């Protein structure tokens, strides 16, 4: 049972709270002009936030003390009930209403706080809108993230965001921020011209320029554009790390990272082709260089889960695809052993392609990437890998190609043409491997052996072809004194006729043969000229007059010395060959497809 003094004390407290509440309400209404004045936020943000702080403090007081006011009213209801001064049903309903008032709720300021927060949101959006210039294309090669918004503006945005989030406006802030910065990112990307990302070709050779551009653009987007946005997000959102993460994820979506990953996927899905291995290594290398950046930007963020998932899937496709093609190269080379060699005795496209291709694989651009890819792939199978294994694999490819030479040479019906073929091919090996990474790997002794083979086959080629023509102009039995002149004349005619027939047949055949290397061609033509022209000149000087006055001289003297030299000097010049001269037929359709692509690459490698 309360004493009179206790009731008096309670009444005093309630009266005091009532008086302070009235004072606070008056103060709240006094804050309306500075909070609702046009331009108040932009004109003096610090002052505006200070006034807003006073409003928040007043509202906290009113909210904290609304329960006391409700209890004071409840005492009155209780008094009315105890003295039967009101309808019981009315008093019961009033009691329920008062219970609700004891909880801190309700519009205690007449909507002033909401209006002030609306003005802050508007200023937040305006500050963002004032800094929407896209990054210039000239910044494509930059390696550092530029500052997107002045520090003073960032500070203002952060202050505004603190108050908005504190008052439950986080979701709307995130939306405003993501839309504003997302539009900037989109504008920056449009300036780059990224249409090629959406319609990639299905050919590894044609993909080359696109992959190179893709790597440069992706690096710009990740290290410059998105890194700048990440730093800005962290500064604006400050301690609100969840908000920063969510906002950045929304902004990153505008950067089209998924489009970049889909383009990389197109490279992985391109038609099977040895050139595709180079494309896969290029795409992998670009992603690998950005691995730490991807982890920092997207790792551990639920909103970036799709980017993380597609990146992992793409890396696996690249690694598996590259290893599959690399391991098939040896098989592909061996399969070509039973294909016909070039009919003109030239260097097979496979030879020139494999030499250049293996040198590219061993270059500084591709070798470390290929080694890393092979290491990763073997680690997935719980196996180890060493650089020596890569070198041995390349050596086996080259040795398999070398083993094809003898088989190809035996496929020629004309043994002299087989000599020309071997001379061309061994010289191509020597000249195109000397002073290269692959040549260093093979060693000087191996290279010199091919140079010696070239010299050997050149010697036997000359011996068995043009070496048998000039002896036809022999002088045996040619006696020029008066009694033997008629006999000598007939012999000269016969020998010139035989020489012409042999020369014409040899020249006709060898006019369809080629020596692709200019230096070797000039040397060989020089040897042919030396084998034929001096002998022909001497013969004609000594015995030509016997037939030149004859009415049928043109039947025997078909060539001048100068004409003969000109003809022989123009031998072996290559003519344009159509691509795809090799046709693959094999029961294993998988290998067949790969080999067809192999020779498409071999004829167009750049």
């Amino acid at each position: 049972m309360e004493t009179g003094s206790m009731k008096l004390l309670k009444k005093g407290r309630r009266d005091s709270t009532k008086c302070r509440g009235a004072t606070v309400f008056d103060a709240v209404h006094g804050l309306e002009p500075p909070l609702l004045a046009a331009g108040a936020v932009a004109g003096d943000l610090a002052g505006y936030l200070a006034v807003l702080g006073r409003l928040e403090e007043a509202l906290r007081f009113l909210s904290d003390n609304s329960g006391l006011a409700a209890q004071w009213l409840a005492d009155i209801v209780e008094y009315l009930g105890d003295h039967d001064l009101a309808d019981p049903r009315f008093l019961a309903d009033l009691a329920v209403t008062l219970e609700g008032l004891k909880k801190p709720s309700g519009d205690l300021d007449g909507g002033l706080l909401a209006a002030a927060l609306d003005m802050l949101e508007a200023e937040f959006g305006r500050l963002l809108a004032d800094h929407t210039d896209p990054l210039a294309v000239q910044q494509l090669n930059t390696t550092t993230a530029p500052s997107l918004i002045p520090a003073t503006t960032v500070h203002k945005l952060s202050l505004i965001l603190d108050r908005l989030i504190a008052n439950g406006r986080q979701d709307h802030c995130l939306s405003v921020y993501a839309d504003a910065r997302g539009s900037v990112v989109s504008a920056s990307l449009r300036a780059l011209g990224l249409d090629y990302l959406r319609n990639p070709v299905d050919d590894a050779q044609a993909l080359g320029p696109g992959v190179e551009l893709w790597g440069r653009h992706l690096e710009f987007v990740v290290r410059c554009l998105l890194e700048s946005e990440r730093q800005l997000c962290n500064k604006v959102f400050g301690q609100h790390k969840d908000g920063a993460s969510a906002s950045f994820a929304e902004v990153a979506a505008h950067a089209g990272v998924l489009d970049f990953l889909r383009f990389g996927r197109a490279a992985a899905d391109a038609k099977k082709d040895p050139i595709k291995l180079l494309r896969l290594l290029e795409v992998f290398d670009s992603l690998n260089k950005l691995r730490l950046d991807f982890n920092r930007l997207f790792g551990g963020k639920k909103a970036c889960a799709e980017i993380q998932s597609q990146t992992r899937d793409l890396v696996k496709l690249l690694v598996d695809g590259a290893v599959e093609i690399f391991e098939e190269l040896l098989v592909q080379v061996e399969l070509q052993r039973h294909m016909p060699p070039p009919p003109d005795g030239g260097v097979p496209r496979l030879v020139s392609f494999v030499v250049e291709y293996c040198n590219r694989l061993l270059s500084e651009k591709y070798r470390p990437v290929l080694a890393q890819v092979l290491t990763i792939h073997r680690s997935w199978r719980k196996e180890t890998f060493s650089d020596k294994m890569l070198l041995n694999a390349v050596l086996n490819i080259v040795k398999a190609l070398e083993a094809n030479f003898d088989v190809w040479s035996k496929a020629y019906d004309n043994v002299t043409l087989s000599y020309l073929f071997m001379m061309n091919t061994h010289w191509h090996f020597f000249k195109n491997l000397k002073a290269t990474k692959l040549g260093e790997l093979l060693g000087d002794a191996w290279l010199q052996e091919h140079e010696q083979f070239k010299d050997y086959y050149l010697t036997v080629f000359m011996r068995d072809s043009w070496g048998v023509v000039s002896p036809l102009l022999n002088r045996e039995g040619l006696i020029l004194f008066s009694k033997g002149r008629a006999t000598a004349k007939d012999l000269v005619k016969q020998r010139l006729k035989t020489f012409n027939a042999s020369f014409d047949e040899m020249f006709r055949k060898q006019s369809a043969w080629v020596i692709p290397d200019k230096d070797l061609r000039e040397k060989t033509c020089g040897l042919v000229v030396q084998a034929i022209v001096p002998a022909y000149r001497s013969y004609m000087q000594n015995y030509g007059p016997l037939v030149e006055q004859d009415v049928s001289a043109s039947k025997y003297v078909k060539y001048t010395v100068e004409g003969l030299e000109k003809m022989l000097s123009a031998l072996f010049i290559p003519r344009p060959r159509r691509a795809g001269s090799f046709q693959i037929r094999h029961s294993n359709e998988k290998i067949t497809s790969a080999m067809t692509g192999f020779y498409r690459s071999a004829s167009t490698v750049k």
Side-chain angles (χ1 to χ4, degrees), residues 250-307:
E250 290 294 326
V251 173
H254 289 271
V257 175
L258 292 176
D259 287 338
F260 278 95
L261 295 176
R262 279 189 284 269
F263 180 88
R265 177 66 181 260
D269 291 339
K271 295 176 182 177
K272 199 168 187 181
D273 189 309
I275 295 299
K276 179 180 174 180
L277 172 57
L278 305 182
R279 300 291 91 85
L280 296 181
L281 294 178
E282 289 161 4
V283 173
F284 175 85
D285 188 41
S286 293
L287 288 176
N288 191 52
K289 288 176 180 176
L290 298 172
R291 179 169 51 88
L292 296 179
D293 303 276
F294 263 70
N295 290 339
R296 183 177 65 256
L297 294 174
F298 311 121
K301 297 180 177 66
K302 291 183 179 179
C304 297
E306 186 176 4
I307 292 176

Side-chain angles (χ1 to χ4, degrees), residues 169-242:
R169 298 282 187 108
Q170 176 168 325
D171 290 344
H172 191 242
C173 290
L174 297 182
S175 177
V176 170
Y177 183 89
D179 287 345
R181 297 311 306 170
S183 66
V184 175
V185 167
S186 296
S188 299
L189 293 177
R190 284 194 297 272
L192 295 178
L194 300 178
D195 291 341
Y196 70 92
L197 292 180
R198 295 169 185 82
N199 296 296
V201 296
D202 189 31
D203 182 84
Q205 183 77 25
L207 267 174
V211 169
E212 181 182 358
L213 196 60
W214 174 87
R216 292 172 55 213
H217 284 165
L218 182 61
E219 182 177 7
F220 168 76
V221 168
V222 172
R223 289 186 173 169
C224 184
L225 191 58
L226 288 182
E227 180 60 29
S228 299
E229 293 295 339
R230 183 189 71 86
Q231 293 179 11
L232 181 62
C233 264
N234 289 343
K235 291 174 183 176
V236 170
F237 284 84
Q239 61 182 340
H240 310 289
K241 297 188 182 301
D242 289 343

Side-chain angles (χ1 to χ4, degrees), residues 28 94 112 140-142 165 181 217 222 240 251 324 366 443 463 500 532 586 601 604:
V28 167
L94 189 57
L112 180 58
L140 182 61
N141 294 321
T142 185
I165 291 177
R181 297 311 306 170
H217 284 165
V222 172
H240 310 289
V251 173
E324 181 183 7
Y366 293 108
R463 182 196 67 195
N500 290 336
I532 301 298
H586 197 277
S601 295
T604 58

